[in-house]
Structures are given as structure tokens and as C-alpha cells.
Amino acid sequence: MKKLVVRTRKSVALAGHFVGAEVNLALGRKVRRAATPRQALEQWLGALGAVPPARGRILITALRNHTWVEWAAYCACVIRRLGFEATLVYDAQQIERLYAGGTKSRFFTALVRIPGIELVDLRGGAAPPAAGQAKWRPAAEAWAPAALAYDRHIEEADVKADEPRFRSELKALAEHATLLGASLERALRGRVFCRAFCFSGLIGESKVLLDVLRAHRIETVCLEGWAWRPGHMIYNLNAPALEYNVPGWMRSLGPWDAAKEREVDAYLKFLDGEKYDAAWLENFYRIQRDALAQTLAPNLRAFLAGAVPVFVLAPNVIGDSSTLNRETIFGGQQLWLAAVIDWFAARPHLKLVVRAHPAERWIGGKCVIFLGDTARKLAAGRPNILVIDSAESVNTFALIPFARAGLVWLSSAGVDFVVRGLPAVVAARPKYTGLGIVTEPATREDYFAQIERWARRADRPDENQIRQGKRYLHMVFKGFSFEATARNYRATEMRLGAMPDQPNHDRFYRILVGDEPMPDIA
């Protein structure tokens, strides 16, 4: 009943915003609160004012979903104020699916009023020549399993293990990416771009589009929304946004100092449910479902008791784009989980706690494989293995005092363990690879040999590992994201010239167009 009341209130408020905006538009007044993308676009156009002479043109991909199509339109307005015209490349068939009326919708038809805008339909006109499509088909086919896995919220290993089942979907994805890639290449001919902005660089067709742009030596900035901090975005130059460029960012953020130490300490307190003094953590997403000080359940405490070495396994959420194409010694998380559980089942003198990622429940329908359920089936009848489901109110880091080491796929939990004094080993290639924070085995034999060593001897991370771990956490959660879009990632909350953190917002777009150096390559 409470949820129904909240939804009803939101609907009434939205209707009020819609009517108010329409009245303002009819009277020639500024739109102050948009309820639709078209009304938001009217606010942006009204706030543009006199624009400076154009000094370059930037290609922007307006593809995949509402978020990126609407952001592309908003970005075109922002960069026009900075002196850059935009070419939006889109897929008319996608627009038909996303908006009532498609390319004839009031939102889409109003795009032509952005000064200097060019709209290019990558599916319009005759299909690209066969030779052009043949050039990009291998890349599209190679990437299709990862693209399908992301769309279905499963693992690439699941797709490859049942190729006949997914054959038609893989073919459709490969053909789509091939067509868009070849069409983009055709669109590049005869046009001069000083830069390109592409969503993700990993998801769907964006991997092939990035390949095309790089092949034509067009400097490309890949972008992602950053859900850890509402309204934040991250970027990477000539590489997928989620690759991070960790060495570059660490270099640009400068030496470790007391101020950064305090910021990371505040972040750790935030995760632990303790009091902290840091305004930047307001509205930050707290992944842990309970405070660190919360009493552990009797069955968990009983399992952890005694002198038997305990290991904590903390996987990622299956379907998270940050895990794409990062497998190394195991084909996927489920295969890793099965191998680790079998290994511990054969060693009753050791204990394993599997702590399913708390965010599995938070992301709702985007998660279709719950590793807590998977682990519970695999561990059935094995008394030395305990599974904590993602929905259980246990702070993962409350397990540290009882554990010998943490076993992670590639998540930042590995770093969290280390900075709290617990060594960790990864089973895939993490973003923090090569920093010396965790153990990164080259083979499965090395992986299990490391666990065996920890079973015989309790090691702890050294000062350098802890310091490097804190530098990484500071970079990811404080240093390299910018509040550059709406806090709900939709157009209706984007207001040109009136964003919640306008200075931070403006710096982001100056960096994107090249007016300020990119900190991560400084």
C-alpha cells in the first residue's frame, strides 16, 4: 500500500510538471521542470543563448537506449556553447522502438533546432557495400557472445556452452554491429571530426564502433554512467570507459597524502555503517546491507568459530558490464565457483564462506543468475562450506577477523579486503591488475597453490599493498568521476546551465572537447 501511495504521488507530480512545462512553452516562457525528453530539449534550446562561432565538429553516438540518445542530444547543446557542432549518428529502427512516433516524435524532430546539428541515420539509405561489411564482420562476430551475455544478464561462458540455442541471436547481433560499423565507416568519408564520443566501448555494438573510429584515427572518448555516485560519469580515451586507465589516473591524482587518506578512511567508515565526515559521500550508493558492528547470526558465528582456517569468497554480480572480457584462468564465475567449492569439499580441514554480492538484489530484474543460489546447490551436503545469500543482512567485511584470505573474481572487494588487513587472490583480470595489491595467479595450479599456502600460514598485506589499495579506492570512488548528467540518468532532470554541481559538470565537458587536458593522460 505504501509503495502504491508513493507511485501515485510521483505520477501526480509528473503530470503537474508536464502541464506546467506545456503552459510555459505555450506562453513563450522558460521550461523550469521538464516531464518529458521533448520538454527537456526545449529547456536546453531556450538556455543556449548566443553561441560562439564553430571551431570543430564532434561525432556523438546516439544509440542503444533512452539514456544515451537523450544524453547525446544534451551533450550536443553543451558542446555547442563551447564552440563545437555535433553530428549525432543514430539507428532509426532503435528510435522507433524507444519513442512513440520514432523519428517523427516531437523530441526527435526538435533536435534539428540545435545550432549546427547534423543527424545521420546509420540504417538509412542503401546498405553499406559488401566489402565494407565484410571488413567489420569478424570483429562483430567475435564480440557477439559478450554482447549477448550482457543483454541477457548471463555469462559469455553460458553462451559459448550452448551455441546452438543462441545461434540466431548471435547472428542477429553480429549482423547489427556489422551494419552499424560499416555504416559508420561510410559516414566518416568526406567528413572531418576533431573528436568522437561513444557510449561504453564494451556494451553491444559500441565495441565495433570504437574499433571503426580508432581505425580511422579519430580520437574517441568512451563514456559510462557511474551509478556509485548519482549523476556521475566516467570516461576513457581511445578505450572502453570501464578500462579506467588506472596508471594514468593514479599518476594524475598525485602522491598519496594525509588528505586522501582521510577521504578513503571516510569511505571505509561509510561502507561499514559508521559515522563519517565527508559531504561527497551523501547520496553515495552503500553496497553493504548491514553495519559492520551488527551482531552476526548464531549459525554464522558457530561456523566461523574454532581454529580451522576460513576463506571468504566474494564474487561479482553476473551481468555487470565491468566483468566483460576479463576471464583468465577460469571461463566464468560459475565455473570458478564450482571449481573452488569442489576444492574445499575435498579438504574438510578448511572452511569456505561464499558471500554472494549484496547488489544482486539491488539491481532487481537485471540479475537473472543469483550466485548465492548457485553456490548453495553446489555446496549441498558439504559441512565445511557456508553460503550467505545476497539478501542476507551481513556486512561482508565483518567476516575479516575470522578469515585467512579473500577469494574474489575481480571486484573492488579484493582491494577492500587488503586495506582492511586481509590478503586476497583474484580469479580474473581486475581493473587494479599489476598494482601489487592482490595475488594474480597465472594458472589454476598457481591459484589453488596460493590458497594452500595461506591455509598453512596466516599472511597479512604489507604497507605498500595497503597504500596502493587505498590509492585505488580513492581514484575509483572519489577521484575520477564527474557529476556531469542527471542524477536519474534521464533527460528530464538535465538542465542546461543549472545542474547541481555546475563547476564539476562544466569541467567534465571542457575535458571531453579538449579544452582542458584529460587528467588521466596528463
Side-chain angles (χ1 to χ4, degrees):
M1 184 62 182
K2 184 178 180 181
K3 290 183 179 180
L4 178 61
V5 170
V6 171
R7 284 198 296 268
T8 302
R9 287 175 178 170
K10 286 183 177 179
S11 298
V12 170
L14 187 64
H17 298 328
F18 176 81
V19 172
E22 289 299 305
V23 170
N24 284 334
L25 286 171
L27 296 176
R29 298 192 301 231
K30 292 181 180 179
V31 174
R32 301 200 177 277
R33 191 70 182 266
T36 67
R38 195 265 309 176
Q39 290 178 345
L41 178 56
E42 292 293 345
Q43 189 275 324
W44 309 337
L45 292 169
L48 263 178
V51 295
R55 51 196 174 104
R57 178 169 290 275
I58 294 174
L59 182 147
I60 308 174
T61 60
L63 295 162
R64 189 166 178 85
N65 54 32
H66 292 98
T67 296
W68 288 112
V69 172
E70 292 159 19
W71 179 84
Y74 175 72
C75 182
C77 293
V78 175
I79 67 172
R80 190 61 194 88
R81 298 176 97 185
L82 298 174
F84 292 89
E85 295 176 326
T87 293
L88 269 58
V89 294
Y90 68 97
D91 177 348
Q93 292 186 19
Q94 284 184 351
I95 300 299
E96 295 296 326
R97 291 195 298 270
L98 294 172
Y99 299 95
T103 56
K104 292 182 173 59
S105 65
R106 296 176 73 187
F107 166 70
F108 203 85
T109 55
L111 292 176
V112 298
R113 291 164 49 203
I114 301 173
I117 196 76
E118 180 186 28
L119 303 175
V120 177
D121 179 9
L122 295 181
R123 295 279 281 260
Q133 295 193 53
K135 180 179 179 180
W136 297 107
R137 185 169 291 111
E141 290 177 345
W143 186 249
L148 179 59
Y150 179 78
D151 288 345
R152 279 182 162 262
H153 314 301
I154 57 179
E155 292 192 274
E156 188 172 353
D158 297 324
V159 176
K160 291 180 177 179
D162 197 359
E163 195 275 338
R165 175 188 171 196
F166 297 112
R167 186 174 295 145
S168 62
E169 291 179 78
L170 290 170
K171 181 181 178 183
L173 281 169
E175 288 178 349
H176 176 70
T178 297
L179 180 60
L180 291 191
S183 296
L184 176 60
E185 183 168 60
R186 180 171 63 182
L188 297 177
R189 297 193 185 108
R191 292 180 170 91
V192 177
F193 297 104
C194 57
R195 237 174 213 194
F197 301 157
C198 179
F199 74 95
S200 179
L202 280 177
I203 296 171
E205 64 272 16
S206 70
K207 170 65 169 61
V208 177
L209 299 179
L210 174 59
D211 288 346
V212 173
L213 291 164
R214 286 193 295 202
H216 285 261
R217 298 183 179 179
I218 295 175
E219 205 167 56
T220 301
V221 184
C222 290
L223 303 120
E224 282 274 15
W226 195 234
W228 289 100
R229 303 175 71 183
H232 278 244
M233 296 181 75
I234 62 171
Y235 69 82
N236 204 357
L237 182 65
N238 294 325
L242 285 173
E243 292 295 333
Y244 294 1
N245 187 5
V246 175
W249 269 106
M250 281 194 165
R251 185 171 60 249
S252 66
L253 290 171
W256 192 244
D257 56 31
K260 295 185 180 75
E261 182 95 31
R262 286 193 297 271
E263 288 173 332
V264 171
D265 287 345
Y267 167 73
L268 296 175
K269 288 178 180 178
F270 167 82
L271 287 187
D272 294 345
E274 300 175 2
K275 291 183 179 180
Y276 59 90
D277 182 18
W280 65 276
L281 288 166
E282 298 300 327
N283 296 320
F284 202 95
Y285 170 58
R286 179 183 278 112
I287 192 169
Q288 294 301 321
R289 300 181 61 85
D290 214 338
L292 189 67
Q294 186 70 26
T295 303
L296 298 178
N299 68 316
L300 176 56
R301 187 168 289 280
F303 182 84
L304 296 171
V308 175
V310 176
F311 292 81
V312 178
L313 184 148
N316 285 74
V317 177
I318 287 182
D320 183 351
S321 59
S322 68
T323 65
L324 289 175
N325 205 32
R326 305 193 74 85
E327 297 85 358
T328 54
I329 59 177
F330 295 94
Q333 288 196 76
Q334 295 165 94
L335 296 172
W336 164 61
L337 190 59
V340 172
I341 286 176
D342 282 346
W343 191 88
F344 274 91
R347 291 161 178 81
H349 62 288
L350 303 176
K351 292 180 181 179
L352 175 69
V353 177
V354 178
R355 177 29 168 159
H357 200 296
E360 282 186 345
R361 306 292 170 175
W362 172 64
I363 64 174
K366 289 186 178 181
C367 187
V368 299
I369 299 175
F370 293 90
L371 286 177
D373 297 340
T374 303
R376 191 167 283 110
K377 292 175 183 176
L378 292 169
R382 294 163 170 179
N384 65 325
I385 301 173
L386 178 72
V387 178
I388 303 174
D389 189 74
S390 55
E392 292 185 54
S393 293
V394 176
N395 189 305
T396 305
F397 308 122
L399 304 172
I400 287 178
F402 306 93
R404 283 288 177 92
L407 318 179
V408 303
W409 181 243
L410 53 77
S411 77
S412 61
V415 183
D416 287 316
F417 284 144
V418 169
V419 300
R420 288 173 166 86
L422 189 72
V425 59
V426 293
R429 181 170 56 91
K431 308 300 170 61
Y432 44 90
T433 186
L435 294 180
I437 301 170
V438 299
T439 301
E440 301 182 54
T443 66
R444 292 193 189 192
E445 291 74 21
D446 291 344
Y447 180 86
F448 289 112
Q450 179 61 67
I451 299 175
E452 195 76 74
R453 282 192 290 274
W454 281 329
R456 294 193 301 267
R457 184 185 67 204
D459 288 336
R460 286 296 176 258
D462 60 33
E463 289 184 8
N464 182 63
Q465 287 178 295
I466 293 173
R467 182 170 56 254
Q468 284 288 83
K470 287 188 173 183
R471 289 186 70 193
Y472 177 80
L473 292 177
H474 178 268
M475 182 204 80
V476 171
F477 297 111
K478 176 64 169 67
F480 84 153
S481 69
F482 298 77
E483 187 164 356
T485 187
R487 290 181 176 177
N488 67 352
Y489 297 93
R490 292 297 304 275
T492 51
E493 286 190 10
M494 298 178 200
R495 296 184 64 200
L496 193 66
M499 296 296 283
D501 186 350
Q502 196 67 43
N504 190 269
H505 169 282
D506 291 348
R507 181 176 178 233
F508 180 77
Y509 289 92
R510 287 196 301 270
I511 290 170
L512 293 192
V513 301
D515 284 350
E516 286 192 28
M518 290 192 169
D520 56 322
I521 60 171

